[in-house]
Amino acid sequence: MLESIIWILLLGFFGGQVAHRLKVPALVGMVLVGILLGPQVGDRLSAEVLDAADSLRTIAVMVILMKAGLGLDREKLAQQGTVALRLGFLPAACEVVAIAITATWLLGLDFLTGLLLGCILGAESPAVIVPAMLRLKSLGWGVKKGIPDAILTGSALSDVLMLLGFSLLLSFLAPGAGGNQMTWLGGLSLSPWLMLPFQVIGQIGLGILLGWAIAHILVLLLARQNWTDNATQDALVVAGFALLLVVLAEAMPFFSGYLAVMAVGFFLIELDAPLARRLRHGFDSLWTIAQIVLFVLLGASIQINVLSDIWFTGLLVLAIGTLVGRSLGWYFSTLGSNWSRSERLFLLPGNSAKATVQAAIGALPLAHGVIGGEIILAIAALSILVTAPLGAWAIPTFAPKLLTRGEVDPTKVTVDRSVVLLAAIDTSALAIQVLTKVAELARRSDAEILVLHVIRLDDPQAIKWLAEQSKRLLADIRHRFITTSGAVPEAIIQTAQTWGATEIIIGKRGHRSIEEVLIGSVSQSVLEISPLPVIVVEEKHQ
């Protein structure tokens, strides 16, 4: 088992990095590693790991759904609320019907079995869509109209509907499952079909209500009573509660555990934004590991051997379901909205990826003896192989072409930006104090440091001394020592802009006020002309 975990983590990580360097989504490399390690090819994963694959995938999906909840924007959702709700029902429902009709025509399945196949294929993949939408939000694509938020919310609601429909149809089609038995509700005898609306309302309503309650409990424990000491412990506690919701939903299927997890993150933003910000960073770190486990195990679960006889027909079913059924649903979902034609077109790459749900339930019809179960399994595997990498590539590729860029709200998403600090030093003893200060700042923000010396007098020994002091004081920090020449203030500003520095740190001598001592000095000139923040380190005498 430990050997399998090593294979998953190391090969999954490097497979993702190789794909990334080839300008291909990292998940493609991870899925390919899973296929190679899985029982279909290399058979390098132990039975214990394969048996635990569903549970491990559940943990990974919980992490990404919490990230989704922590990234939702209430104002944008209010702006696009009806669109988000329609995206949660219409595209998937239209796709299910289109697939059912196509499956009866091309595959010879009866209509109910075609609907079962449609419910499997109609579910959208949070593992692909959520990180892609959060990435778009961090870059500002589509944020002005709340397009990523609408897609995130609609995707979660869509999966609730598809899983309910799948459970209902499976109860009818599985031999001996008792699908025609009556279900009792408050003394009334209702068939499973009539119970479906109540189940949908319960799954969504109870999921949101439980998410609201858990969010209040977490704020009480973590923000008001301070039961934790750092952000890592915050993330651990919240992940535990979120996983508890998912487990309870499996044991008591009256609410959607995944929707409840998203609701926890959403309400945490509203109740305590500083706590949400800390959790956002914590779950970003958890996702770094969870995505490797998720996509490698996803690849290992794909049944390659069942694709040989069905791949062409399966592709046709997927194409008709997406291009006819789902496109019709997208049209009605955005009808009357303020979305432009290009923004509506973005739903094709942005809202079509399938992976996680298909891997979880694709084999269940075959296991329950449903006629045509082997065909369903084959097409579910094909949908993962085709749409997951295609969606992961298409979303960042077409977003700049189809969406408009708006202002990023850093209170809702983690904005990835490397911090580079420029320390401008001369050959005086003040250089030590500047280097000490910039080292302190870099350790707080995990920044890189650019140490700059503008040569005014050609003194090789002095420059060597500066390089040695930089190496000594910045030994545990990524840094670069460079020299340049020219007018000192202009050289500092130009170098900072060339290297993408975020702040400039420079020293000043004397104990008088900065207004008295810096008129006409290098420090004052940098302060006056710099477009970047400048930190001035005052000389301290021993």
Side-chain angles (χ1 to χ4, degrees):
M1 185 173 183
L2 289 176
E3 180 183 345
S4 298
I5 293 174
I6 293 172
W7 283 118
I8 290 171
L9 293 179
L10 288 182
L11 291 186
F13 171 77
F14 285 109
Q17 290 300 306
V18 169
H20 180 71
R21 295 190 178 195
L22 294 174
K23 307 300 181 183
V24 176
L27 73 84
V28 175
M30 297 175 190
V31 169
L32 290 176
V33 166
I35 294 174
L36 294 175
L37 293 177
Q40 303 293 315
V41 182
D43 197 19
R44 301 302 304 171
L45 301 181
S46 67
E48 293 87 351
V49 169
L50 293 176
D51 291 340
D54 287 341
S55 298
L56 294 173
R57 282 199 297 264
T58 297
I59 295 173
V61 173
M62 176 275 296
V63 172
I64 195 58
L65 288 173
M66 180 58 72
K67 277 172 59 68
L70 290 168
L72 288 177
D73 189 325
R74 178 177 57 84
E75 294 180 359
K76 296 297 189 297
L77 278 179
Q79 177 186 343
Q80 298 291 346
T82 57
V83 175
L85 289 175
R86 283 181 280 170
L87 282 174
F89 295 94
L90 292 177
C94 292
E95 183 177 13
V96 168
V97 174
I99 288 175
I101 295 172
T102 306
T104 59
W105 170 44
L106 294 178
L107 301 173
L109 301 177
D110 63 74
F111 189 70
L112 282 182
T113 307
L115 288 175
L116 182 70
L117 173 62
C119 286
I120 295 174
L121 299 182
E124 299 155 20
S125 172
V128 177
I129 292 175
V130 171
M133 291 303 115
L134 292 179
R135 177 65 176 166
L136 293 189
K137 289 188 66 173
S138 69
L139 296 173
W141 293 113
V143 296
K144 186 175 182 180
K145 294 183 181 179
I147 293 173
D149 291 285
I151 292 176
L152 284 172
T153 306
S155 177
L157 295 175
S158 174
D159 287 350
V160 171
L161 179 64
M162 291 298 97
L163 289 172
L164 283 174
F166 171 80
S167 300
L168 176 63
L169 289 165
L170 188 64
S171 70
F172 274 89
L173 294 170
N180 295 321
Q181 293 180 356
M182 308 301 283
T183 302
W184 293 87
L185 179 66
L188 296 176
S189 180
L190 298 176
S191 70
W193 289 106
L194 294 177
M195 279 290 296
L196 183 60
F198 296 99
Q199 287 180 303
V200 171
I201 294 172
Q203 290 270 317
I204 296 174
L206 286 177
I208 294 174
L209 181 62
L210 282 172
W212 176 86
I214 294 297
H216 277 79
I217 293 173
L218 290 171
V219 170
L220 177 66
L221 293 176
L222 305 182
R224 297 178 184 170
Q225 296 188 359
N226 297 316
W227 280 80
T228 55
D229 298 323
N230 51 58
T232 302
Q233 292 179 350
D234 288 339
L236 177 64
V237 172
V238 173
F241 272 91
L243 195 57
L244 177 63
L245 285 172
V246 176
V247 173
L248 287 176
E250 292 178 352
M252 298 179 292
F254 306 117
F255 67 96
S256 169
Y258 288 159
L259 188 60
V261 170
M262 279 188 65
V264 170
F266 173 77
F267 287 116
L268 281 173
I269 299 174
E270 301 300 313
L271 295 171
D272 196 302
L275 175 61
R277 179 183 57 80
R278 294 200 304 273
L279 291 172
R280 213 172 282 128
H281 287 284
F283 276 89
D284 284 345
S285 300
L286 288 176
W287 177 241
T288 301
I289 301 174
Q291 66 175 331
I292 298 174
V293 176
L294 173 64
F295 291 119
V296 171
L297 291 178
L298 190 62
S301 69
I302 295 175
Q303 304 289 324
I304 301 295
N305 58 338
V306 302
L307 297 178
S308 56
D309 298 328
I310 203 72
W311 67 270
F312 180 76
T313 308
L315 286 176
L316 196 56
V317 170
L318 288 171
I320 293 174
T322 300
L323 299 178
V324 177
R326 187 165 279 269
S327 295
L328 188 64
W330 290 329
Y331 172 77
F332 287 117
S333 297
T334 56
L335 195 64
S337 70
N338 62 347
W339 292 27
S340 66
R341 182 177 298 179
S342 63
E343 288 166 342
R344 294 178 183 181
L345 185 59
F346 175 71
L347 288 169
L348 177 59
N351 195 228
S352 305
K354 310 170 192 304
T356 320
V357 177
Q358 289 71 24
I361 66 176
L364 291 182
L366 181 61
H368 284 78
V370 174
I371 297 175
E374 68 283 352
I375 296 176
I376 293 175
L377 174 60
I379 298 179
L382 186 65
S383 72
I384 298 171
L385 277 175
V386 173
T387 65
L390 190 61
W393 166 79
I395 291 172
T397 300
F398 288 100
K401 298 177 175 63
L402 300 175
L403 302 179
T404 57
R405 198 165 195 170
E407 185 177 352
V408 179
D409 185 353
T411 67
K412 299 297 188 296
V413 292
T414 302
V415 180
D416 294 326
R417 185 184 180 189
S418 58
V419 179
V420 179
L421 305 177
L422 185 143
I425 59 175
D426 57 18
T427 56
S428 70
L430 182 57
I432 301 297
Q433 296 175 28
V434 173
L435 290 172
T436 302
K437 182 63 178 179
V438 76
E440 175 190 338
L441 296 173
R443 293 186 184 104
R444 292 180 188 174
S445 56
D446 192 28
E448 297 183 16
I449 296 176
L450 186 66
V451 182
L452 172 66
H453 173 63
V454 181
I455 299 174
R456 288 188 285 186
L457 296 174
D458 189 11
D459 188 350
Q461 288 301 117
I463 295 174
K464 181 180 179 182
W465 177 80
L466 289 176
E468 290 174 349
Q469 295 306 311
S470 299
K471 184 177 181 180
R472 178 177 67 86
L473 295 170
L474 309 177
D476 62 330
I477 301 169
R478 292 192 179 188
H479 67 279
R480 183 189 298 266
F481 178 81
I482 63 173
T483 60
T484 188
S485 58
V488 178
E490 289 77 6
I492 292 173
I493 301 301
Q494 183 178 357
T495 303
Q497 293 176 331
T498 300
W499 289 84
T502 51
E503 296 177 28
I504 298 172
I505 296 87
I506 196 168
K508 85 175 184 75
R509 297 184 180 84
H511 296 283
R512 291 172 293 168
S513 68
I514 194 168
E515 291 81 8
E516 294 175 323
V517 78
L518 289 182
I519 300 299
S521 70
V522 170
S523 303
Q524 179 66 22
S525 298
V526 172
L527 283 168
E528 290 177 350
I529 67 175
S530 174
L532 303 173
V534 179
I535 297 175
V536 178
V537 180
E538 184 175 357
E539 183 180 23
K540 295 181 180 178
H541 296 283
Q542 301 297 330

